[in-house]
Amino acid sequence: MGEPLKPLNIGIVGAGKISGAYLSTLRSLDSVRLTAVTDLDEDRARAVAEQAREQDGADVAVLPSVAALVARDDVDAVLNLTIPAAHAEVALAALRAGKHVYGEKPLAANREEADAVLAAARETGLRVGCAPDTVLGTGTQTARKAVDDGLIGRPVAATAFMTGAGHERWHPDPEFYYRPGGGPLLDMGPYYLSALVHLLGPVVRATGASSRPRARRTIGSGPRAGHTFPVEVDTHITGVLEHASGALSTLVMSFDVRAARLPRVEVHGTDASLSVPDPNNFEGAVEIHRGDGWEALPPSAGYPGAGRGTGLADLAEALSDGRPHRASAELAAHVLDIMLTLMDAADQGRALPVTSTCERPAPVNASAH
């Protein structure tokens, strides 16, 4: 028997709404331990520390700044839950202080920032992971196993649809979704594109079109209901992605669809078709159609009971096992590049190469946990 896994001490930067989902998962994991938190709003940081104390009796330090947090000896890795515009800045500060990093999506706001994070990770020999980790759950991983086992034959095509009327209908402060760095593709695309790369491998070319049907949006709930604001990004994006394997994926990401009956993700092969659950969730029904109707596949791969933060646990275990972690910065950088290339292709009206690539992450087999 080897030594038991030593927990990775985690410092959270950013104590906003998503931190609650991470706390729910982290408390159930033996591979990580929360030791510190900081936020621009000290009250929010204190609330996270108090929640951890009430749940687990954990003594979580509340720090005044990112610099103070990354300087602590009891922080091995930074969980970066800041707004997207700050992702790269916080990641670089952590790496320069000798800390591993796991962050919310996207990895960075642009290619240059993503490249800087990857370069810093290589220079320091530290790990960088990035959400989404929903692809590590039993939903996408069961579907991937079906593809890898040849149940659909040779993969030919896939479809991925995320459609809605816009986040302003429910979000009390939705403006940032409609500013540069926002929009349906950059907001929700990482879930769908990460799933497509897991299922079919990296993308080599993209073409697409986009539109901005409304110049202004109106907040529909909360204390600011009725307030209107300008739309600064395209809100309906459609594209075709060519994978290195030859498979073609059709993608639609929209904040302009009132209602739809579109599937989330489907993969079509020479022998069968596969219905894949919502990649924004960890679980869900996987169904296969071999010609005589849809039949459910039982969960056969993936981390069972996974939640936000499972990718961080996978990173901690990968450090101990000496293997690559699955929710990697390389995958996240490739997904970011796919999205930016698709947006460029839509602007230019032509197909463009996706110049980055990544290894298809290792599957999470039933025997891997």
Side-chain angles (χ1 to χ4, degrees):
M1 297 291 290
E3 291 292 326
L5 179 65
K6 181 182 178 182
L8 198 66
N9 292 326
I10 305 300
I12 292 179
V13 177
K17 186 175 181 180
I18 193 63
S19 65
Y22 276 88
L23 287 176
S24 296
T25 302
L26 296 183
R27 63 181 304 211
S28 66
L29 301 172
D30 295 331
S31 56
V32 296
R33 178 176 59 196
L34 181 61
T35 57
V37 60
T38 189
D39 190 275
L40 293 174
D41 183 336
E42 186 176 336
D43 289 340
R44 292 200 307 190
R46 291 192 180 282
V48 166
E50 183 60 30
Q51 182 179 347
R53 189 176 296 111
E54 291 175 355
Q55 290 177 343
D56 308 312
D59 184 13
V60 178
V62 177
L63 281 306
S65 66
V66 174
L69 184 140
V70 299
R72 289 180 66 93
D73 292 336
D74 64 349
V75 171
D76 303 316
V78 169
L79 176 55
N80 184 4
L81 305 182
T82 57
I83 61 173
H87 285 179
E89 179 184 356
V90 172
L92 290 170
L95 291 168
R96 289 164 182 158
K99 314 298 182 182
H100 306 289
V101 184
Y102 183 90
E104 256 301 317
K105 53 81 183 172
L107 177 66
N110 53 55
R111 295 181 181 92
E112 292 74 22
E113 288 184 351
D115 288 344
V117 172
L118 292 175
R122 288 192 296 268
E123 291 168 6
T124 59
L126 295 164
R127 301 288 187 112
V128 178
C130 187
D133 50 4
T134 47
V135 290
L136 305 182
T138 56
T140 299
Q141 289 295 316
T142 294
R144 173 176 176 166
K145 189 173 190 304
V147 172
D148 290 351
D149 288 351
L151 298 189
I152 67 169
R154 179 174 60 84
V156 173
T159 56
F161 301 110
M162 192 296 299
T163 59
H167 290 353
E168 75 277 7
R169 297 178 61 143
W170 55 269
H171 199 292
D173 297 295
E175 285 93 336
F176 71 95
Y177 289 112
Y178 297 91
R179 292 171 181 155
L185 181 60
L186 290 179
D187 177 43
M188 296 300 294
Y191 298 103
Y192 290 78
L193 292 168
S194 295
L196 289 174
V197 173
H198 270 265
L199 292 164
L200 299 174
V203 172
V204 296
R205 186 167 60 169
T207 187
S210 62
S211 64
R212 193 180 312 178
R214 285 180 280 168
R216 299 189 70 85
R217 298 267 176 155
T218 302
I219 298 175
S221 64
R224 301 172 64 225
H227 173 77
T228 65
F229 59 90
V231 176
E232 302 176 39
V233 295
D234 288 350
T235 52
H236 186 98
I237 298 96
T238 184
V240 176
L241 309 176
E242 181 181 343
H243 295 262
S245 63
L248 300 177
S249 288
T250 301
L251 186 77
V252 175
M253 301 277 120
S254 182
F255 286 163
D256 291 296
V257 176
R258 289 290 172 180
R261 294 177 175 175
L262 296 165
R264 295 296 186 179
V265 177
E266 289 182 349
V267 182
H268 306 284
T270 53
D271 297 337
S273 291
L274 199 65
S275 175
V276 184
D278 186 348
N280 192 25
N281 298 327
F282 289 87
E283 301 174 341
V286 178
E287 296 180 302
I288 191 168
H289 196 299
R290 310 174 203 256
D292 297 318
W294 292 99
E295 60 179 293
L297 294 176
S300 58
Y303 288 110
R308 311 280 175 179
T310 294
L312 177 58
D314 182 80
L315 186 153
E317 293 162 9
L319 277 169
S320 178
D321 297 341
R323 61 167 174 83
H325 54 286
R326 295 178 173 92
S328 69
E330 289 75 16
L331 171 60
H334 182 56
V335 166
L336 176 64
D337 191 26
I338 295 169
M339 295 189 294
L340 296 177
T341 302
L342 178 53
M343 293 167 65
D344 290 342
D347 288 341
Q348 298 176 30
R350 62 191 181 99
L352 292 175
V354 177
T355 57
S356 68
T357 190
C358 69
E359 294 292 330
R360 192 176 175 218
V364 184
N365 296 320
S367 59
H369 46 78

